[in-house]
Amino acid sequence: MAREAGVSVATASRALARYGYVKEETREKVLAAAKKLNYQYNVVAKNLRTSKTTTIGYLLPDITNPFYSRIVRGIQDVAFEEEYNVIICNNDNDIIKTERFVKMLLRHRVEGIIYSTPYNQVLNDMCDTFKKQEIPVINCYGSTRLCASDVVTGDAEKGCYQAARHLLELGHRRIAILRVKESGVSNRRFEGCRKALEDFGVEIDPRFLVDAEDFSQESGYLQAKILFSSPQKPTALIAFSEQLAIGVLKAAREDGIKVPEDLSLVGVDDIIAELLEPPLTSVVIPTYEAGRAAASLLFSRIKEENSSPPREVVLEEKLVVRKSTRGRV
Amino acid sequence: MAREAGVSVATASRALARYGYVKEETREKVLAAAKKLNYQYNVVAKNLRTSKTTTIGYLLPDITNPFYSRIVRGIQDVAFEEEYNVIICNNDNDIIKTERFVKMLLRHRVEGIIYSTPYNQVLNDMCDTFKKQEIPVINCYGSTRLCASDVVTGDAEKGCYQAARHLLELGHRRIAILRVKESGVSNRRFEGCRKALEDFGVEIDPRFLVDAEDFSQESGYLQAKILFSSPQKPTALIAFSEQLAIGVLKAAREDGIKVPEDLSLVGVDDIIAELLEPPLTSVVIPTYEAGRAAASLLFSRIKEENSSPPREVVLEEKLVVRKSTRGRV
DNA sequence: GTGAAAGCGCTAACAG
DNA sequence: CTGTTAGCGCTTTCAC
């Protein structure tokens, strides 16, 4: 390579990487030769030599889901600044795939991992393995049951507190809450709603407390159908995901319930909320920032020697008021 | 490493990689030792030694855009099967970023590139560089002005031919077409519409031929507003992207034009079409399959020695009829 | 069948 | 300030 420039490999290396002492003159000579030969620095060789791969892994369910693709973008942006590479692993919440990915990441000697996936046994073992090898693991809106080094989440309680308060301030008292069974986030969101209702001295009507199977549109539709067919109808509804809210919207349309005239509706996630009809009032989760935060945490851990205690970044979740909510007349 | 298992590195390598001749007995010994020591195969070392990086690059505008995130997923899925790694490069259509990414990909010695970006000068130079180094470049729904090895596109003409025919069969004759200036895809889509109209012996009314600045919602809204304010109104409209269609939908709502009663609307892309109100009749672009196809082309090029002539994969684009179109009464 | 040895392209002591 | 040298962990001839 550029040793054809009249110097040794070592000097060339120093000149290119601009470390150590190199006379300006020889430095220029090296640079000139590099350009002339169209030299391309070989990252692979450097990786092997330094046993730093400048690569991290990201485990997620599916990048096709906009919630995650925004996190990905956040991670990628800071990784790019740090000249790191990120290996994206879509596990589709599948154990087999997860296992294959984890092995792959190990073989690739990633320096750190971020995950946004729900709990599973393989992941749990993975965390142990990584911890043993002192590879930092960051939880970004993923399962809290795994032993991550650091975690970034949203202030789910606050966001939903705001959502509930918004409805209460509009005069609503019969507020239905569409939660999700066995979900940590759902529980925290509910806690926010509960507090708001308490602060306003409003009792929760158990008939308006609905538990869906999951966060999907279908579940939302199903539960809304049931709810709307009962004699006692709510005047407002908070759904704990955007998909759930869309399901509710569909059911409402079918049953001739007008939003917001007959029912004020609030969602969570804010992916396409603005494009819906009516534009959906909803709690926005700062996913892009979450990705950035997770990556920042990871890199700071990769850089520091001493293992500091676990940190937690809690991102603010805010309510955005659009046209799906209005005052009780 | 596992040479603690009593054999030489060479034998261990052979045993692990299952090539060459290795006695079954020693092979088992190696495997056992590997398991015992929790041996992890080092991909980086292998990459350096074989100067094959099992890594490809993907250049796209922004992964946050669902159109691209689906292509990404397609690419990743086949890359994973091939045990390849993909470096995702969000260039935001920015020249500076593109340049940095290209250099990075070169330093990482990627074995191939896929791009889905519009034309720019840096990209053009990049293609030359890669071609010189015999690194295959695949165009997946990106600019055709670059000298890619192979290309995957959609049969834009056919999809839009179907769209126009659908409207014509419903009895529409005053059909507006919302195109995009200086866009190759837009031109091809228009060609499809034109043919359908011709086949039905319908003249194109130049007043209903609208050229937007780009594929964005804002542009759609803007042009629709202008169109709706003119005395001559169309009874149907084809918008060449989903975002454009959403813009039209917003404008229609504001101007009291009911879809589909007063205006039948067709979009292209089919990302959230189903979730809109009314659910949008639209041409679906098989983005996930496009990603898979692009990756398959790339890998077949990486594998084969002789450089075969450029290939082109044309994916079928189909119309999905929903509720935003109806017959002329 | 298996081992010895070279070398992928780089960095990091260590000498000079 | 610069050159020599060793070696990261693997694959791959070439001997034995």
Side-chain angles (χ1 to χ4, degrees), chain A residues 298-313:
Chain A
L298 182 56
F299 288 124
S300 80
R301 248 192 215 284
I302 287 175
K303 274 163 198 160
E304 74 199 7
E305 305 301 304
N306 46 0
S307 56
S308 45
R311 284 162 297 183
E312 184 170 4
V313 171

Side-chain angles (χ1 to χ4, degrees), chain B residues 10 13 19 39 41-42 45 49:
Chain B
S13 176
Y19 81 88
Y39 165 79
Y41 179 82
N42 188 326
R49 173 62 232 241

Side-chain angles (χ1 to χ4, degrees), chain B residues 17 108 111 135 139 141-142 146 162 185 216 218-220 235 241 248 253-254 267 283 285 314 319:
Chain B
H108 278 269
E111 295 180 37
I135 300 172
N139 169 8
Y141 275 91
L146 302 170
Q162 279 182 36
V185 224
S216 73
E218 291 68 35
S219 295
T235 64
S241 85
V248 172
R253 228 170 257 143
E254 282 185 17
V283 176
I285 299 186
V314 180
L319 184 74

Side-chain angles (χ1 to χ4, degrees), chain A residues 42-55:
Chain A
N42 188 326
V43 179
V44 182
K46 183 223 124 222
N47 285 348
L48 179 58
R49 172 62 232 238
T50 59
S51 55
K52 291 185 77 265
T53 52
T54 54
T55 301

